[in-house]
Amino acid sequence: MSTAAAPSNSIGRDIAQIVLSSRPISWINTAFPFAAAYLLSTREIDLTLVIGTLYFLIPYNLAMYGINDVFDYASDLANPRKGGIEGALLAPRMHRTTLWAAAVTNIPFLVYLVIVGNPASWLWLAVSVFAVIAYSAPVLRFKERPFLDSITSSTHFVSPAIVGLALAGAPATAATVITLSAFFLWGMAAHAFGAVQDIGPDREAGISSIATVIGARATVRLSLSLWVIAGAAMLLTPWPGPLAAAPALPYVVNAARWWNVTDETSGSTNRAWRRFIALNYFAGFFATMILILAWIS
């Protein structure tokens, strides 16, 4: 019995590693923007909402983070953050399996979204998928191209919302453009701030990032500025949009302590980054309340 159980246990561990590589704690960060944008535009729950939300919840994240964990394996070995909720350390034997799992889980959803879509949604879906691949895949490696790394990372989270809007045929109003722009700036700030904690490991591995190029202090200050601008931009949107300015404040307070951080102490920002992960759930709850207000207004 123990011999028969061994392969089963091994398969279970492998599946657990693949799931861990998709960062379950962050699944909601890509599914929510799609669902919110589509639902507010169509005002109905249909099959496309369900399938699109499921796609951006799990397969999309498996592709985004799984590809990253495969091609960042060598540098991740030297990064003390890896091996938990902040990133899996996939054994080399799991690399091919992870890439296949990403492809197999993504393709059926993408086929459906293309069938029910339109030229605008096809374009933005292509941008979204390209950004996921380009961020970590060899040759392209946008994550090693300073400033483009933060732009691409933000695209990962904003593009699902744009896909949702495009699928719903929503018009490009001023309020929509401002909201998406604010969200994009928030995403850039989040990525840049997260890169600060990895300055040491990245430099040791020869990896460039926005933080390794301009330094810890400048990156933290840039992130804070982007969060402030993102929050201020929401004040320009119709009610209840201005309420969305409030969630920017906790991010600013959380990061402000590291205003004078140095490259040598950059690793200490991991404490703020862990709080940042929790703040995302607070911001998500707040955003949900705003969406409910928008729905009934």
Side-chain angles (χ1 to χ4, degrees), residues 257-278:
R257 177 182 174 185
W258 280 269
W259 180 263
N260 290 316
V261 70
T262 65
D263 287 7
E264 290 70 28
T265 61
S266 58
S268 65
T269 60
N270 178 251
R271 298 198 299 274
W273 181 252
R274 286 180 173 270
R275 286 193 293 271
F276 168 86
I277 295 174

Side-chain angles (χ1 to χ4, degrees), residues 4 10-11 27 37 40-41 47 50 96-97 121 143 166 176 212 218 241 244 283:
S10 177
I11 292 173
W27 284 355
L40 274 182
S41 299
L47 185 60
V50 173
R96 183 183 296 273
T97 302
S121 68
K143 69 169 294 175
T176 300
T212 64

Side-chain angles (χ1 to χ4, degrees), residues 1 4 60 69 86 102 105 107 119 130 133 136 141 157 160 169 186 190 195 208 245 254-255 277 295:
M1 181 178 294
Y60 182 81
D69 285 344
E86 297 183 68
T105 55
I107 290 174
F130 175 76
I133 296 171
S136 302
R141 294 287 289 179
F157 302 98
W186 177 92
S208 296
N254 181 48
I277 295 174
W295 183 276

Side-chain angles (χ1 to χ4, degrees), residues 74-124:
S75 59
D76 284 350
L77 283 174
N79 192 330
R81 291 200 304 119
K82 302 303 180 178
I85 64 171
E86 297 183 68
L89 269 176
L90 288 173
R93 67 178 182 80
M94 291 293 299
H95 291 180
R96 183 183 296 273
T97 302
T98 300
L99 294 178
W100 271 108
V104 168
T105 55
N106 271 256
I107 290 174
F109 286 91
L110 291 173
V111 169
Y112 174 85
L113 292 175
V114 168
I115 292 174
V116 300
N118 53 66
S121 68
W122 299 338
L123 171 63
W124 285 108

Side-chain angles (χ1 to χ4, degrees), residues 194-224:
V196 173
Q197 63 193 319
D198 289 331
I199 285 178
D202 282 350
R203 283 179 175 163
E204 289 179 13
I207 295 175
S208 296
S209 73
I210 186 173
T212 64
V213 169
I214 67 175
R217 186 173 301 171
T219 306
V220 168
R221 293 179 179 182
L222 173 62
S223 296
L224 285 166

Side-chain angles (χ1 to χ4, degrees), residues 133-175:
I133 296 171
Y135 186 73
S136 302
V139 182
L140 293 171
R141 294 287 289 179
F142 284 4
K143 69 169 294 175
E144 293 191 47
R145 303 178 188 274
F147 297 97
L148 184 57
D149 55 351
S150 292
I151 291 172
T152 307
S153 177
S154 188
T155 301
H156 293 160
F157 302 98
V158 179
S159 60
I162 302 178
V163 170
L165 291 170
L167 279 170
T173 65

